[in-house]
Every structure is written in C-alpha cells, then in structure tokens.
Amino acid sequence: MLVPDLIAALDTESDLPRFTLSTVFTGWSLQPVAFVLTVWVAGLYVWGVVKLHRRGDRWPIGRTISFVPVGMGLFYFATASGLGTYDDTLISVHMVQHMILSMLVPMTLALGAPVTLALRTLPAAPRRWLLVVLHSRVARVLSFPPLTFLLYVISPWALYFSGWYPATLDSTYLHEMMHIHLVVVGCLFFWPIVGIDPLPGRVGYPFRMLLVVLTLPFHAFLGVTIMAEEDIIGGSHYADLHDGPMGSWLPAPIDDQHLAGGILWGSGDLIALVLFGVLFVQWVRQSMQEASREDRRLDLLEARERAEAERAATARAADGDR
C-alpha cells in the first residue's frame, strides 16, 4: 500500500490496514499532546544549550543528543508513529510502546541532565524557585529509592489488572495521560539511578545496581502472568474490533495478549542490560575522577611538604651563616 493511501486509511481508526513492521515507520498519525510536549520540551532544552554557547560556556554534546533526538525523539516516535496509531488496536504494539515510554525514554532524558542545564541558564528568580523545589520535602520523598522502586514495579500491575487499562481504550484523554504517566513514573525511578542532575535520593552505585537487578523478576513475572492470563486484559475492546473491517487480519486477542507478555518479559531484560552498561561506564568514570582528584591532592600535599622542607633548610643555612 502506498504511503498516501495508508495515511488516508489512518483517518478512520475503525478501519486500519494490516499492521506490519513497515507500518511502524509509515503509519504516522497526528497526536496533539505528544506533538506539543515534544516541541516545547525539546525546544526549551535547545534554547538552554544555545544560551550557554552564546556566553562561551561548554555543554557536552552527548547530553544534548541523549535528551533531544534520542529521548524526546523516542517519546514522539512511540506515541505518533505506527506504534501510537495501533497501540489501541493490538496490545502487543501497545506493549512495545509501554517499554519505550517507561524505560528507554526516562533513561535517555535523565542522561541529558536538563535540571543542571536549567540551573545554569535560568534567570536568578526562577533558579531560586527550582532550588527550593529540589531541596523540598516533596522532592526528597519522590526521589526516595525504595518508594520509587515500589511505584515503578507496582504501576504496571495496577494498569493491566484493574479497570484502568480498559478505561484508557475508551477515552482519548485517559489514553494520552497513560503515556505521560509511564514516562513520569519511569523518570522518578531512573533519574536518581542514571541521572547526572543534583537530585536528592542519590545512592551509591552498588545500590543502584541492586535496584536494577530487583526490577528483573518483576518484569519477568508480570510478562509470564500476562502470557498465562486467559481473560482479555482490555475487556471487550479487542474482541469488538473483530466485528468490524479489521477482523479479517486481526489476530485472536488472546494470542496477541500472549505475545504482549513475551515482549514485556524479553524487552525488560534487554533494556536492563543496556542500563547495566550505562551504570558500569558511569561507575568507572566516577572512580577515575576520584582517583584523579586524589592524585592531585597528594601532589599538592607533596609540593607543600617539599616547599616547607626547602624553607626550613634555607632558614637553617641562614642561621649557620650568622
């Protein structure tokens, strides 16, 4: 099918063409909330970077790439590409979207250090307000690792095994809020773990590794539970789609649900491996920086001791001459 024909077909949600891998990249649809958020958040970040460069300050290019084209790009891709177009048609597609929004997007946004950028570019008054927020009790609670861990692992259970997920399939507003919820909960969990920003709740790298390890069985158990579930998670929504024109190509809802569970299980482990790699690199860099600082401290101490010894020797020589 030609792209124009596909786009025309996408105008009618009840009659989408067959989903294929190529549809992910050709089946774009306009998602106003995702579009506005992407433009504003990415635009403000770029504005901050430009402001820094204009005054001669340096900002690592890797942080900009991580936040703008990767982080916000993945957010818009997950919500407006074929994944966003078909996320309420196939639960397996939704599950791919879920993993991108809840893991990849928060991780890459955290690596972009937007809070640090804001502290370096905001005017005095907004900067003071931001510092007040960062040092507030609310910020300390929301960045408390055990709490963010519980919120992160319990949230998907509440989503899929309550009336919440079926409600998002019947309401565009709730559907968009679910996307934002996945990103926000992921940010609360990932920001203190891999983030560079000066946030409360930061813990040592061994404990960060432990938190990541603890998420693995929860993802696996949730994936296996969804694979074994015989009741359709979305209620009658997916079955009702079979009564329309898409019934000729839609898979059986229970088969698609089992596939979704497998995607959740397998992709969770793969993304966790990426996260381990990021944490390992950060840990090594921190160790090297600490070693470098310690070397400089020892060199400075040695130089002072040498200078004191030379002054003492000079003073003794002067006393001997007298």
Side-chain angles (χ1 to χ4, degrees):
M1 178 177 290
L2 296 177
V3 172
D5 295 335
L6 177 59
I7 295 176
L10 295 180
D11 292 337
T12 306
E13 292 186 0
S14 61
D15 188 14
L16 294 174
R18 180 183 298 274
F19 180 83
T20 63
L21 181 60
S22 64
T23 311
V24 175
F25 304 98
T26 60
W28 293 81
S29 57
L30 180 61
Q31 302 294 333
V33 174
F35 179 77
V36 171
L37 280 176
T38 302
V39 170
W40 272 97
V41 175
L44 288 173
Y45 190 97
V46 171
W47 174 82
V49 174
V50 171
K51 185 175 181 180
L52 277 182
H53 282 287
R54 284 179 176 174
R55 72 186 189 196
D57 292 341
R58 178 180 174 275
W59 184 255
I61 186 63
R63 295 182 184 180
T64 304
I65 293 174
S66 178
F67 192 93
V68 179
V70 180
M72 294 309 300
L74 278 174
F75 172 75
Y76 191 70
F77 176 77
T79 53
S81 70
L83 296 179
T85 302
Y86 285 80
D87 66 346
D88 56 356
T89 304
L90 294 165
I91 192 173
S92 57
V93 173
H94 160 79
M95 200 59 71
V96 175
Q97 180 192 68
H98 175 125
M99 300 308 292
I100 293 174
L101 293 176
S102 65
M103 297 190 75
L104 289 179
V105 170
M107 183 169 61
T108 51
L109 293 181
L111 292 173
V115 176
T116 301
L117 179 62
L119 290 172
R120 293 181 61 182
T121 56
L122 286 174
R127 183 165 58 247
R128 286 195 298 270
W129 300 336
L130 179 57
L131 287 172
V132 169
V133 172
L134 291 175
H135 292 92
S136 67
R137 181 174 299 178
V138 173
R140 290 195 296 271
V141 170
L142 292 179
S143 61
F144 184 55
L147 175 62
T148 58
F149 171 78
L150 287 175
L151 184 62
Y152 184 72
V153 299
I154 291 175
S155 176
W157 286 90
L159 174 63
Y160 297 119
F161 292 97
S162 70
W164 181 7
Y165 183 67
T168 66
L169 296 174
D170 297 329
S171 168
T172 301
Y173 172 77
L174 290 179
H175 198 73
E176 296 291 346
M177 290 304 102
M178 176 188 64
H179 295 157
I180 296 175
H181 166 83
L182 292 173
V183 175
V184 170
V185 172
C187 286
L188 290 176
F189 177 70
F190 283 104
W191 224 280
I193 293 179
V194 298
I196 307 169
D197 290 319
L199 300 177
R202 301 296 292 273
V203 294
Y205 280 99
F207 189 66
R208 298 186 201 184
M209 292 283 193
L210 177 61
L211 287 174
V212 177
V213 170
L214 290 176
T215 64
L216 296 178
F218 283 95
H219 272 127
F221 185 48
L222 178 58
V224 170
T225 302
I226 292 176
M227 293 173 68
E229 184 69 27
E230 294 302 326
D231 294 329
I232 304 302
I233 289 177
S236 62
H237 176 83
Y238 296 110
D240 292 342
L241 293 178
H242 281 260
D243 296 333
M246 292 187 293
S248 60
W249 64 265
L250 282 173
I254 193 64
D255 294 337
D256 193 49
Q257 180 170 299
H258 293 165
L259 175 60
I263 291 172
L264 175 62
W265 181 7
S267 61
D269 290 347
L270 289 175
I271 298 174
L273 288 177
V274 175
L275 182 57
F276 275 123
V278 171
L279 283 174
F280 179 76
V281 171
Q282 289 182 337
W283 197 352
V284 170
R285 286 181 177 176
Q286 184 190 63
S287 299
M288 294 175 64
Q289 290 172 354
E290 291 175 351
S292 179
R293 285 195 295 267
E294 182 65 15
D295 288 341
R296 289 196 298 269
R297 188 187 70 82
L298 293 175
D299 290 342
L300 180 60
L301 181 61
E302 183 180 354
R304 289 176 179 174
E305 292 176 348
R306 188 183 305 111
E308 291 176 358
E310 291 176 354
R311 284 196 296 269
T314 301
R316 287 195 298 270
D319 291 341
D321 292 340
R322 286 196 297 267

